[in-house]
Amino acid sequence: MNTEQTGTDSPTVSQLQATLVRSLAEAGIESPLPEARALLTHVLRLDWTGLVLAAGRRLTPAETEQLETLARRRLAREPLQHLLGEVEWGGMRLLVSPAALIPRPETETLLLLALANLEGLNLEGLERPQVLDIGTGTGALALGIRAARPDVDVTASDLSEEALALARRNAEQTGLEVRLVHSDLLENVTGRFHLIVSNPPYLPEADRQEAQPEVNHDPDLALYSGPGGLDLARRLVVQVPPHLKAGGTLLLELDPRNVGVLAAEMTATGWTVQVSSDLSGRERFLRAQRET
Ligand SMILES: C[S@@+](CC[C@H](N)C(=O)[O-])C[C@H]1O[C@@H](n2cnc3c(N)ncnc32)[C@H](O)[C@@H]1O
């Protein structure tokens, strides 16, 4: 996108928006209008209403330069969220970076399932509910649970130190308290939990070949897990039982192609399993309990 003129000849905000939409659409980006608006509101530090009211305004040279840089990066298919540095997820504003997976909308359903599960817990006020989020990334699930339920003690773990550092920044900027643990699955995690949630890496390795360019900006460690996508989830399931309190629940997000496979394997090894769907109707979530 070239917006090189300056002064009174330079394009107005609405002309720039139209140019941006065209460039983004030509690059194959699915939602060019919302993305163009998001880039403009970011550069001009306006909300969407402010952007509409600024339609006839011309950008300063510094704003023009920033917009051109961001547009170039987006046209090279860097994720919009990395350019903005944050995402709206689960009612929170979370910092994002290449250090951790950008939290996905479908995982908001896992958050709702976790909150519904906690709603159903009856501890008669005798103990605080204990929750563990394995592979926390930005901290999305752990922080979402803590935001909705300040009465719950939340522990969040990850193998990636970089992801944990980002989760810590998100905890600080949201003012939410979670215990962060560096751990390969449950290796360094102590204690027993009423609820263990995880959105582990679950894509089959072969997906790497067809991944959208944006997905290549997420860490590999957050995405792929062996030929069928289940290597890490299988290891996790084996490690969970000693960490679940009696009657405790394991909630997992998995790929619709492999959730049924793991559900069958877990049923065969003594778990009681229910599978549920995401908002597009694809089976994606697994809820499991067992006699410990
Ligand atoms: C799909 S991402 C989920 C991130 C976050 N929970 C979310 O839903 O947005 C998977 C996370 O698992 C972490 N991970 C991968 N292997 C792990 C392991 N062996 N032990 C703990 N965490 C692991 C990755 O670093 C990544 O943060």
Side-chain angles (χ1 to χ4, degrees):
M1 196 192 73
N2 189 351
T3 58
E4 261 178 18
Q5 308 119 287
T6 52
T8 49
D9 279 351
S10 67
T12 62
V13 166
S14 70
Q15 287 166 337
L16 276 172
Q17 180 173 297
T19 309
L20 254 179
V21 168
R22 220 173 17 254
S23 310
L24 293 169
E26 280 165 15
I29 288 163
E30 258 177 39
S31 310
L33 179 58
E35 292 217 10
R37 285 182 176 155
L39 289 174
L40 278 162
T41 52
H42 179 74
V43 168
L44 300 176
R45 294 182 173 76
L46 294 171
D47 59 20
W48 283 30
T49 316
L51 186 66
V52 173
L53 295 175
R57 198 193 125 179
R58 294 173 203 277
L59 273 61
T60 65
E63 287 168 341
T64 304
E65 192 183 328
Q66 192 192 359
L67 185 68
E68 287 190 347
T69 303
L70 291 179
R72 228 181 348 262
R73 290 171 61 190
R74 185 64 191 107
L75 292 171
R77 305 296 292 266
E78 260 187 72
L80 178 70
Q81 298 90 336
H82 284 176
L83 302 182
L84 304 180
E86 61 180 21
V87 70
E88 287 261 352
W89 188 93
M92 302 172 293
R93 225 170 244 276
L94 296 175
L95 303 172
V96 291
S97 81
L101 184 100
I102 298 166
R104 305 296 204 260
E106 53 268 32
T107 308
E108 290 176 320
T109 302
L110 184 61
L111 171 61
L112 294 179
L113 291 172
L115 294 176
N117 182 273
L118 288 169
E119 225 20 67
L121 263 187
N122 184 6
L123 304 177
E124 292 168 352
L126 295 176
E127 52 178 331
R128 289 172 64 83
Q130 305 292 316
V131 173
L132 171 66
D133 170 23
I134 301 174
T136 197
T138 54
L141 281 165
L143 295 168
I145 291 169
R146 179 71 188 190
R149 292 288 303 263
D151 61 316
V152 170
D153 290 336
V154 182
T155 302
S157 71
D158 209 291
L159 180 59
S160 158
E161 297 268 25
E162 294 77 19
L164 281 174
L166 184 61
R168 188 165 296 112
R169 286 179 62 208
N170 275 319
E172 283 163 8
Q173 63 120 17
T174 52
L176 295 164
E177 199 178 316
V178 295
R179 182 168 71 109
L180 295 169
V181 183
H182 181 230
S183 181
D184 179 359
L185 293 178
L186 285 134
E187 205 170 275
N188 302 331
V189 176
T190 52
R192 287 163 81 93
F193 301 88
H194 297 97
L195 173 63
I196 297 180
V197 294
S198 185
N199 172 21
Y202 56 59
L203 296 178
E205 287 289 342
D207 281 15
R208 222 184 266 274
Q209 318 307 327
E210 298 144 27
Q212 289 288 313
E214 286 84 354
V215 173
N216 294 326
H217 292 265
D218 284 317
D220 262 22
L221 185 66
L223 295 172
Y224 303 103
S225 192
L230 284 175
D231 285 11
L232 197 76
R234 285 192 177 110
R235 272 180 60 214
L236 184 154
V237 165
V238 170
Q239 293 183 21
V240 158
H243 291 277
L244 270 186
K245 287 191 183 262
T249 301
L250 170 65
L251 273 178
L252 295 178
E253 176 178 328
L254 293 167
D255 189 293
R257 292 167 293 178
N258 58 33
V259 66
V261 176
L262 191 67
E265 288 174 12
M266 289 176 72
T267 305
T269 55
W271 292 85
T272 304
V273 178
Q274 285 172 314
V275 170
S276 58
S277 299
D278 62 21
L279 293 177
S280 326
R282 287 170 303 181
E283 292 193 330
R284 187 180 287 281
F285 306 105
L286 184 157
R287 178 180 187 274
Q289 292 181 308
R290 66 182 286 137
E291 300 295 321
T292 45

